[in-house]
Amino acid sequence: MGLTVSKLDSSLDYYQKNLGFTVLSDAERKGEWVEKITGIPGFHTRTVYLSLSPCHHFEVFGFFHPQAIPPERESRLRVGIPGCVLNTDRLESLSVRDNPEEARRWTPLLGRKEEPFGDCRVIHLKDPDGLSLRLLEDQGEKMKSPSALADLRYPVFLVENIESSISFYGDVLGLQVHDQGKNTPGAIESKGTTNGKSVRWAVLRSKAGFCLKLVSPSNSEILPAAPWMMQRIGFTHAAFGVENLGGYYLRLKDQVNFKSPPTPVNAGPHKGGQAVYLTSPEGITLEFIDSPLIRESWKMK
């Protein structure tokens, strides 16, 4: 998960102390190679990779140029990445507690329980910049890193058309639908009302496990995705490890809006690999990465 923050040290402190994430890499990013990957002239950040497990990382950006800009605070729904779901096997060990404000925000979209894992406890968190995290207790799935208190289950994408989104992520990109369904107004009621609206959802997975949840409220106005600005505080994109990125790119380049061809990565934990950014048909930004670290992490699955 990529996220841009306002105060990097404060965010690092929050994720390390509260959720047990560890620093995998801490380095400045600038130069022609990263400008080509991101499409941002003069790109300059301090970028810290936080490790949740061998296959899951938070890539946290503190921007020098362009300057970070505040998140959009909107009352209406908009296509994008409203948050992500983490899982833990030790909810009582965490120093964080359920945030009622976040619970009220998430319940109309995701319900009181995290479908399709309805028997698990869920709490809602807010990081120092107000980014939404939904924490699922799954005692049947042990943490892959001994020091981590939580791991990433999947990002949540808010989409307008769930059928076309399933087609893109499944038929085009090759993910598999693990489960899908609909939360009815009675199941997702918050403070007694949802205006009679229901929410469709689908959980997708790759060979490495769960990797994405799509949600789409029925009969609701959903604004188009905002123009991508990586320096805007919030979840910027979701990155996926890809085998044979060069061949994958050639197969998809006529079907997918890539920002550039695969470009060598010259810094950070994926140094020696390649990366490319792309945009989904609804305007959500993704990244594909192929690197020695990713290939090694798959051996540990």
Side-chain angles (χ1 to χ4, degrees):
M1 288 297 297
L3 58 153
T4 292
V5 300
S6 60
K7 297 179 180 179
L8 186 56
D9 288 332
S10 295
S11 294
L12 297 179
D13 185 68
Y14 175 86
Y15 285 108
Q16 290 179 90
K17 287 185 176 180
N18 293 310
L19 299 173
F21 298 177
T22 58
V23 175
L24 182 64
S25 172
D26 185 345
E28 286 192 41
R29 299 286 180 85
K30 60 181 178 180
E32 183 179 354
W33 70 274
V34 72
E35 292 179 19
K36 185 175 181 181
I37 291 174
T38 62
I40 300 175
F43 184 99
H44 185 194
T45 65
R46 177 186 166 200
T47 301
V48 179
Y49 271 83
L50 294 176
S51 177
L52 293 71
S53 66
C55 291
H56 297 146
H57 308 137
F58 270 22
E59 185 180 16
V60 189
F61 302 100
F63 268 85
F64 298 118
H65 182 86
Q67 186 176 2
I69 56 179
E72 293 181 332
R73 302 295 186 191
E74 298 179 305
S75 58
R76 292 187 292 176
L77 299 173
R78 183 183 290 276
V79 171
I81 308 176
C84 65
V85 175
L86 309 175
N87 59 272
T88 183
D89 59 1
R90 56 192 91 163
L91 195 59
E92 300 301 335
S93 300
L94 299 177
S95 61
V96 289
R97 292 293 176 262
D98 197 31
N99 183 309
E101 179 186 349
E102 285 304 285
R104 285 192 293 271
R105 284 187 59 199
W106 279 81
T107 298
L109 269 182
L110 298 182
R112 296 187 182 279
K113 298 180 179 180
E114 180 56 29
E115 299 292 352
F117 311 102
D119 294 330
C120 300
R121 287 196 296 168
V122 174
I123 66 170
H124 305 80
L125 311 178
K126 181 188 291 187
D127 87 345
D129 283 305
L131 304 188
S132 295
L133 307 168
R134 187 169 164 106
L135 189 58
L136 170 76
E137 183 182 51
D138 187 350
Q139 296 184 343
E141 185 170 336
K142 298 301 180 183
M143 296 296 97
K144 297 178 177 63
S145 173
S147 64
L149 298 174
D151 195 2
L152 177 65
R153 177 148 294 212
Y154 39 62
V156 177
F157 288 4
L158 176 61
V159 299
E160 184 173 12
N161 188 313
I162 201 161
E163 287 86 1
S164 62
S165 293
I166 289 174
S167 176
F168 174 73
Y169 293 105
D171 300 338
V172 178
L173 300 189
L175 302 181
Q176 297 179 332
V177 176
H178 172 78
D179 202 354
Q180 59 181 311
K182 178 185 288 188
N183 289 336
T184 62
I188 62 175
E189 64 182 359
S190 176
K191 296 295 183 181
T193 178
T194 59
N195 297 321
K197 297 174 183 177
S198 60
V199 178
R200 290 194 59 189
W201 56 266
V203 171
L204 290 84
R205 63 184 302 145
S206 69
K207 70 176 187 179
F210 301 113
C211 61
L212 179 60
K213 184 169 188 175
L214 307 172
V215 296
S216 182
S218 303
N219 303 316
S220 298
E221 181 187 10
I222 304 175
L223 300 176
W228 189 61
M229 301 179 73
M230 195 174 183
Q231 68 271 31
R232 187 183 300 281
I233 294 166
F235 290 107
T236 61
H237 67 285
F240 298 90
V242 175
E243 289 181 297
N244 185 21
L245 178 56
Y248 195 55
Y249 168 80
L250 291 175
R251 180 166 66 84
L252 295 178
K253 68 176 185 177
D254 294 330
Q255 306 175 66
V256 174
N257 181 23
F258 287 102
K259 295 183 182 293
S260 71
T263 301
V265 177
N266 295 336
H270 297 295
K271 184 176 181 179
Q274 291 187 313
V276 63
Y277 279 81
L278 60 145
T279 306
S280 77
E282 289 201 358
I284 297 174
T285 298
L286 312 174
E287 182 183 15
F288 292 159
I289 308 172
D290 185 359
S291 73
L293 176 67
I294 288 174
R295 291 190 289 274
E296 186 62 29
S297 69
W298 278 332
K299 295 177 183 178
M300 302 173 66
K301 292 296 288 184

